[in-house]
Each structure stands twice: as C-alpha cells, then as structure tokens.
Amino acid sequence: MSAKLLHKEKWSEFTGRLSGKNLWAPAVQGEVKKFVPVAEGETVSLEGGNTTVPPKALIFPQTETLYRFSRGEEEPEPPAIDEEMVLLGVRPCDARAMALVEKLFRWDFDDPYYLKRRELTTLIGLACNEPEINCFCPSVGGSPASTEGLDILMTDLGESYLLEVLTDKGKAIAGAVEDLLEEAPAEALKQKEKLAEEALAGIKWSVDPEGIPEALPQLWEDPLWERVSAPCLGCGICTYLCPTCYCFDIQDEVEGSAGRRCRSWDSCMFAEYTVHTSGHNPRPSRRERTRNRINHKYSYFVDKFGEIACVGCGRCSSLCPVNIDLIDILRQVKAAQ
Amino acid sequence: MKNYENPYIPHTATIEDTWYETAGDRCIKTFKVVLDDPAVRESWSHRPGQCAMIGLLGVGESMISISSSPTEKGYLRFSVLQAGKVTSALHQLEAGDKITVRGPYGNSFPVDDWKGKEILTVGGGIGQAPLRPIVEYVKANLSDYAGLTTIYGARTSEDLCFKGEFGEMEKIDGVCCHLSVDIEEEGWPHYVGFVPSLLMEVNPSPENTIAITCGPPIMIRFVLENLKKLNFADEQIYTTLENRMKCGIGKCGRCNAGSLYVCKDGPVFSYAALKDVPEAFA
Ligand SMILES: Cc1cc2nc3c(=O)[nH]c(=O)nc-3n(C[C@H](O)[C@H](O)[C@H](O)COP(=O)(O)OP(=O)(O)OC[C@H]3O[C@@H](n4cnc5c(N)ncnc54)[C@H](O)[C@@H]3O)c2cc1C
Ligand code: SF4
Ligand code: SF4
Ligand code: FES
C-alpha cells in the first residue's frame, strides 16, 4: 500500500483527468442522490451523506439485458460487457457489500454479468468522517474507514485528500494522475487515524450480532414477526436500496420478430416473488416476508457464506416510509432469545 | 479479463415426438426432445431427480423435471402440466418445433447409495414425472436392487400419466405396481381411494426399503404421516420440493426454503434433512 496526498486546489484537475476513464460520482437528482456519469469539465463534490441509491446499481443494474434473440437466428446474443468504469466516492459499507454479493454471484455458477462488471470497475472510496444517523457498520464487521472491496480509500483531511492506494487497479489510477499527487507525510496518516477514531465514536446505533444467526431459526413462530411487520406497506424500498440485496426477476420483452430476455431487481417483500401458478403462496403475508428478509441477511447467508449479509448502511431504516427500523427488529430478536 | 461461461444462455432442442398424457384444462403433455448441438448432446448427462429449465425465447422458462432416466439415451423427456404462461405456450408445440433447454440442475436421488435396497415410489398426478426416472433407472439395473414397488394415483384414470408403461412393468419379476383413482369409475380394475390409503393397503415393510414420494402438497403430507405409521425412519424417506423459480442456478433468490435453495440444494431431500427446515412444507 502507498499513501498519497491530493491538495484540494488540484481536485478539479484530478476529476477532469479521471472523467476520460468513464468516471461516475454521487450527485443529487431531484430527491435522490445517486452515482451519475461525470462529463469532462463537470465539477464533482463529495460533500454530504451517502447516496440514496447504492452503487450496486452500476454493477447490478436495475434492469439489464441477459441476451437478445430474433426469430430465425439460432444463437441468443448476450451484450458485450467490456467498458471500464471508475466510481469515485464509494462509501466503505457499499464497497463491503459488493464483496459480499460477489460471493453469491461466484457460488458454483459464475454470473458473468456481475463478475465482468465488477472486474472492469475501480472503486475509489471515501471514508465517512461524519457517519449518518442510522449508520451501524461497526456492529456488522465494518468501519467508517474500512478498505474491504476498495481499490483506493480517500480521506478528507480538510485542505487535502489522503489517498491510500490498495490494489493494482488503484495503482493504475494513481499512476495516471501521478503528477497531481505527492507522498503523504506521516502526520497525514496520523490525522486520518484520528478522524477514523472520531468517526467510529460518532456512530450512535449498535447491536451485538453475537447469537442472532443461531437465535433466528428458534424464533420462527415468535410473535415478534407479527409485531414488527404490522405497519409494512410491502413497497420493497428496504430491499431495492439495500446494497447487499441481489434478488432478481427474469422477463422476456418482444417487439416484432426480435426481443430480449432481461433481468430486473425483485424483492422478497413482494407477494408475487414466491407465489405459485396455482395461487398457493408459501409466504402469504408481510409477516412471512419480513421474517424472510431478516433471516436471509442474518442467518441464511451466514449459513452459506459465513458472513452477515448486512453492512449497516442504515438505508432500510432511513428510507422505510413507515419507519420500520432494522436495529429495532434485531434488538427484539435479541430480547426474545 | 476472465472468460466466463454464460449459464443463462440455453441450448436449443427439437421436439421429436409429443403426446398428451392426460386431458382437461390442466392437461399434461409429454415432450421427447433431442438437443440440436451434437457436442452438447454428447456431453449432456443427468441423474434421476434432476430438472431443466425449458422454455421459448420471447415467452419465458419453466423448471421441469427430466422425466426420462439417464438409461434412456439420445433424448430427454419432459412431462408438462398446463398451468400458466410458459407451460401453455409449450403445449402449443408439435413435433419438429424447437424449445430451449438449460441444465441439468439441482441434486438427484442417491440411487447408487440405495443399491441392495427395495425401492418404493409413491406418486400422485404430475408428481410421477420426477419419479419416472427412478422407476426406469431401477428397472434397467434391477439386479442391483432388492425390488421395485410403484404406487401411483390420480383423480381419474384419465388423469394418470405414463399409463401405457405400467402394464409392461407388472410383468417384470421383482417389480410391483399399484394404481388408484380417487373416485369410483366403470371398468376400473384397481384401487379406488386416495394414494395415502392405498399405501396403507399395500402395507410395505420398512425393512431395507427406501420410500420416495412426489405429488400435491396435501398428498405428500398424508403419505409422510402414513410412512411414519408404517415405521419408516426419516432417513428412509425422500421427497422433492417445488418452489417458484427463475434462474435455476442459485442466484435470483426466490426458491429458498430456509437457508436451502431448492434449485441447487434440492429439489431432492430426505425427510430427515427437511424436518427442521422452516417453510419446507409451507
Ligand atoms: C423442481 C421443480 C420441478 C418441477 N417439475 C415439473 C414437471 O415435471 N412438470 C410440470 O408440469 N411442472 C413442474 N414444475 C412446476 C413448473 O415449473 C410450473 O408449473 C411452471 O413454472 C409454471 O409456469 P407458467 O409460466 O406456466 O405459469 P405462470 O404462473 O405464468 O408462471 C410465471 C413464472 O412463475 C414461475 N413459477 C410459477 N409457479 C411455479 C412453480 N410451481 N414452480 C416453479 N416455478 C414456478 C415460473 O418461473 C414461471 O415462468 C416443477 C417445479 C419445480 C420447482
Ligand atoms: S439491511 Fe439495511 S442496513 Fe443492512 S445493508 Fe441492507 S439497507 Fe443497509
Ligand atoms: S421499506 Fe418499510 S414499508 Fe417498504 S417493504 Fe420495507 S419494511 Fe415494508
Ligand atoms: S431459482 Fe433462482 S435461486 Fe433458485
């Protein structure tokens, strides 16, 4: 690992240079903050909180073509995935989420769409100096300055950014803007450590996940599921905008003699997700669906891949229209244990 | 960059023959198909109990049990109940038409571990489709097994699949066949009543026996109860689960029962393995 310093007066030159590399960065569009492409000469600001839409949307698009087909032609044609991409300002939780989801997309069958995009993408992270109200990443193995999944971690030091270059992909980026960077002095690293500690101390929510994966199957019939799911509207926001949710639907679209098979985000919070053709639904109500969402993240994924499939970004709690709070659910699980 | 194989892209296959097993608005049609690409045909190998995603470009795909046994070479058989969009579109097809196939998917019945044992299949309706490859496999390798008993029922004699095959089976030494219909009908020489009751009537010994049951959920529930009454241990009982599926390869998420993905960890489970899985029988 090497550490570099980027003075903020060189910021626009830095982003300008990267914009030639298919650069994406957070921007507010209407009420939603999300990653958007950065055109040459456009200014990029990393101020403010995390994006509403997690950067998973760039690796695992909300809708994507699996392949195109046309009558008379034998071979379905998958789209070429060959464009490199640089994401600037990815939060440590969202980068960790990509590392977790990758386990699923590598499990037994490789998913070429996800894996190729992931390989073509360089993640330049931004440490969270000021965690938000619902953040709880340390409870689930992360931290506001975690480097997992990132190629470069940037920390805002006030007058400058510290760039910790973590991987070969990170090196390639640092190499391309070498003349804008200088070696980071020892006190820059010290300052970063201090900011990381302060950020950690600034996190208000916590839950000790110890015992939760084992407790959940025991609490299958517990009245808590009825209680916590009662206000749920089944809107699916908690899953669509969760960086570790990856469920998808597959549908065909046809126009004339040609068409495409595509996949799009789906949600275990929807009734249609599990309903059989016969009309029978193994998860008939919000109770079963909420129970599945929590069990999947805090028990099933742990069974399969050894880790909790939640990075503590707090989006599900912040964005739920009826204020269903994950930490509250987890605490009720612990209390019922 | 690594060159990944694309598991979502299906093979094409040509329908060599197709016929109706049953009539009515939820009729069952069997398709005998041959994979078009000779290399794919050569390398294809499946085990009894495995499934495949079959479909039509522009319509969709459905998970269907491969109802032919690996001992039937050169073609694959699928028996499809007309249910919704994809299965109805499949029912429109005739010999010479093309379908898409990807697979084989899922685990299989551990037929090799069962060598030396008596095999008992208990099926209802379309549930005989995943059982047929076991029946065919054990028949083709009968000297490896202690015997084969098939119990199979449907609403009426019109609703029984693979009707023509049972008469032949009866003639084989070591093979027993018991058929039933739910309601009395003229000229029906076999049992009248539900499959779980026929099971009690047949009264199989659990001694050195493996029981495999597939069918509608309600039938499975009572068959399991009755097998327990007959003193079958949980480890001697196998069944298959059927959940809604899209990808078939453990990615899209929807087919889980507890932490198990039915498309990858299943569809075949021993009752011992399923008993403690939440939502397995939901
Ligand atoms: C392991 C397994 C083996 C099966 N074997 C057979 C078989 O041998 N013969 C047979 O006739 N049927 C079988 N089925 C059921 C068959 O897959 C469904 O009846 C079929 O997918 C319904 O699709 P549809 O488009 O006609 O119905 P629609 O209701 O229009 O289906 C919409 C979509 O929902 C999904 N879906 C709906 N119901 C089911 C279901 N019960 N199981 C799986 N996916 C579903 C499919 O992806 C389908 O594309 C099996 C299912 C599973 C899981
Ligand atoms: S479950 Fe909630 S807190 Fe956890 S990663 Fe998903 S959106 Fe973030
Ligand atoms: S965001 Fe809230 S209301 Fe919407 S599905 Fe999730 S828990 Fe239910
Ligand atoms: S069908 Fe997609 S995960 Fe099982």
Side-chain angles (χ1 to χ4, degrees), chain A residues 211-224:
Chain A
I212 291 182
E214 299 74 25
L216 280 169
Q218 310 300 323
L219 297 172
W220 195 252
E221 295 296 345
D222 198 275
L224 87 92

Side-chain angles (χ1 to χ4, degrees), chain A:
Chain A
M1 191 203 72
S2 67
K4 306 278 178 195
L5 212 57
L6 172 71
H7 281 284
K8 283 199 178 162
E9 61 263 29
K10 294 183 181 153
W11 177 246
S12 49
E13 165 117 37
F14 174 77
T15 55
R17 253 346 146 85
L18 294 185
S19 66
K21 295 182 178 293
N22 192 17
L23 179 70
W24 294 64
V28 179
Q29 291 190 337
E31 291 193 8
V32 171
K33 190 172 184 182
K34 59 179 185 180
F35 281 79
V36 298
V38 180
E40 226 185 303
E42 231 170 359
T43 47
V44 175
S45 160
L46 298 184
E47 299 296 311
N50 198 359
T51 52
T52 329
V53 184
K56 81 165 178 186
L58 291 171
I59 314 290
F60 175 55
Q62 186 160 0
T63 298
E64 74 178 304
T65 302
L66 291 176
Y67 44 83
R68 295 185 178 280
F69 48 82
S70 54
R71 205 166 294 147
E73 256 173 63
E74 299 282 301
E75 282 298 302
E77 194 55 37
I81 297 174
D82 49 15
E83 202 179 7
E84 294 192 1
M85 189 163 48
V86 178
L87 309 192
L88 177 62
V90 173
R91 301 306 175 106
C93 57
D94 289 337
R96 271 197 76 218
M98 288 187 200
L100 287 169
V101 171
E102 188 170 329
K103 289 177 196 273
L104 183 276
F105 281 123
R106 277 196 196 282
W107 179 44
D108 200 6
F109 291 89
D110 286 335
D111 186 284
Y113 305 88
Y114 188 90
L115 296 177
K116 274 192 196 167
R117 274 208 203 82
R118 185 67 192 85
E119 280 170 24
L120 288 163
T121 305
T122 303
L123 299 183
I124 306 180
L126 177 70
C128 302
N129 287 350
E130 288 170 29
E132 289 171 79
I133 181 83
N134 284 314
C135 294
F136 65 102
C137 54
S139 295
V140 282
S143 89
S146 153
T147 55
E148 193 182 342
L150 289 171
D151 298 299
I152 293 178
L153 176 66
M154 302 200 318
T155 307
D156 188 342
L157 302 180
E159 303 294 303
S160 60
Y161 284 110
L162 173 72
L163 272 66
E164 293 169 82
V165 183
L166 306 158
T167 64
D168 286 344
K169 279 190 206 166
K171 258 187 223 154
I173 294 290
V177 291
E178 206 174 0
D179 52 312
L180 305 177
L181 307 175
E182 51 192 75
E183 281 310 315
E187 65 258 32
L189 283 159
K190 258 196 222 136
Q191 195 187 345
K192 180 232 154 174
E193 287 310 322
K194 189 159 163 282
L195 286 167
E197 272 168 38
E198 283 169 10
L200 208 52
I203 288 180
K204 303 203 174 42
W205 290 114
S206 73
V207 63
D208 178 6
E210 178 79 28
I212 291 182
E214 299 74 25
L216 280 169
Q218 310 300 323
L219 297 172
W220 195 252
E221 295 296 345
D222 198 275
L224 87 92
W225 299 115
E226 193 73 54
R227 212 161 54 227
V228 300
S229 65
C232 173
L233 308 169
C235 69
I237 285 292
C238 52
T239 49
Y240 268 34
L241 297 179
C242 169
T244 64
C245 276
Y246 51 73
C247 289
F248 59 85
D249 190 14
I250 300 179
Q251 294 288 345
D252 287 10
E253 281 177 7
V254 188
E255 224 176 287
S257 65
R260 62 173 189 150
R261 184 160 286 169
C262 42
R263 71 172 170 196
S264 15
W265 293 353
D266 203 347
S267 169
C268 64
M269 300 304 277
F270 298 155
E272 297 76 24
Y273 181 72
T274 44
V275 72
H276 292 188
T277 313
S278 62
H280 170 72
N281 194 341
R283 282 182 215 131
S285 77
R286 292 163 300 192
R287 168 180 171 268
E288 292 80 27
R289 302 197 272 273
T290 302
R291 183 173 65 188
N292 180 72
R293 175 165 78 92
I294 306 301
N295 268 272
H296 177 249
K297 296 199 175 296
Y298 277 84
S299 174
Y300 307 156
F301 201 87
V302 182
D303 271 10
K304 278 233 132 69
F305 302 111
E307 287 189 76
I308 290 171
C310 165
V311 293
C313 72
R315 283 188 184 88
C316 55
S317 302
S318 305
L319 301 167
C320 172
V322 291
N323 298 319
I324 294 176
D325 178 21
L326 177 61
I327 291 279
D328 172 54
I329 298 177
L330 295 173
R331 287 187 177 163
Q332 294 202 40
V333 166
K334 292 201 67 120
Q337 208 173 327

Side-chain angles (χ1 to χ4, degrees), chain B residues 194-240:
Chain B
F194 294 126
V195 169
S197 331
L198 174 57
L199 170 66
M200 294 314 272
E201 194 88 356
V202 174
N203 191 22
S205 155
E207 186 70 34
N208 195 35
T209 304
I210 294 289
I212 311 109
T213 182
C214 296
I218 182 83
M219 183 209 89
I220 293 192
R221 177 134 41 93
F222 288 113
V223 167
L224 290 173
E225 262 176 39
N226 288 355
L227 286 169
K228 296 307 293 176
K229 281 187 204 149
L230 294 166
N231 293 318
F232 277 76
D234 297 341
E235 293 74 21
Q236 289 174 281
I237 306 173
Y238 284 78
T239 188
T240 59

Side-chain angles (χ1 to χ4, degrees), chain B residues 12-21 28-36 41 54 64-69 71-80 90 93-99 101 132 162 165:
Chain B
T12 56
T14 304
I15 300 173
E16 197 180 79
D17 197 3
T18 173
W19 59 88
Y20 281 97
E21 299 284 351
I28 297 168
K29 198 172 181 182
T30 293
F31 300 91
K32 185 175 173 187
V33 310
V34 176
L35 291 159
D36 287 345
R41 203 159 57 227
I54 69 171
I64 302 291
S65 310
I66 305 169
S67 62
S68 51
S69 151
T71 52
E72 301 169 78
K73 303 257 183 240
Y75 61 88
L76 298 170
R77 265 177 64 161
F78 301 99
S79 294
V80 180
L90 287 168
L93 303 180
E94 295 303 337
D97 288 339
K98 304 259 181 214
I99 63 165
V101 178
R132 186 181 176 276
F162 320 128
E165 298 178 359

